[in-house]
Amino acid sequence: QRTIYWRHGTESGTPMSLSSWRIAVESDWRVLEAAPKELRSEREVILKAVGQAGSCLSYASEELRLDPEIALAALSSDLAALDFVGDQLWEDDTFV
């Protein structure tokens, strides 16, 4: 039921602001699934989320999937994040 609540914004039907989305993601990374694309491109939001669950890297923008710090944080949290690390990082000798 929580996911439905987030998908529809606030109880009054008013869309959530980006700051409300940030707070929601900080308390529960699963909210990223329904979060606006622009939030999924915010480095600090994603970095905090992958600290909770590395596999939420799947919701990050492609650009952030290529960020070595974010990828390493995700992998240290959950090896399942391997599937979501950007392909170009695997070609980078300093990352591998």
Side-chain angles (χ1 to χ4, degrees), residues 18-52:
L18 279 178
S19 60
S20 295
W21 278 106
R22 286 183 198 102
I23 292 167
V25 170
E26 272 190 48
S27 63
D28 186 350
W29 66 268
R30 293 173 291 188
V31 175
L32 271 175
E33 180 182 5
K37 287 184 181 184
E38 60 191 299
L39 190 78
R40 297 180 194 193
S41 297
E42 290 189 17
R43 188 175 194 283
E44 290 306 312
V45 169
I46 298 300
L47 192 55
K48 288 178 183 177
V50 298
Q52 294 177 43

Side-chain angles (χ1 to χ4, degrees), residues 1-9:
Q1 191 172 24
R2 177 181 274 177
T3 302
I4 293 168
Y5 170 77
W6 294 122
R7 286 178 195 250
H8 295 294

Side-chain angles (χ1 to χ4, degrees), residues 81-96:
L82 280 168
D83 294 335
F84 309 113
V85 172
D87 291 339
Q88 291 174 341
L89 272 182
W90 297 117
E91 298 168 11
D92 182 348
D93 292 336
T94 60
F95 179 75
V96 179

Side-chain angles (χ1 to χ4, degrees), residues 52-72:
Q52 294 177 43
S55 60
C56 75
L57 185 61
S58 66
Y59 300 119
S61 67
E62 186 61 33
E63 178 184 345
L64 293 180
R65 290 182 191 197
L66 295 170
D67 183 305
E69 183 181 2
I70 291 176
L72 289 173

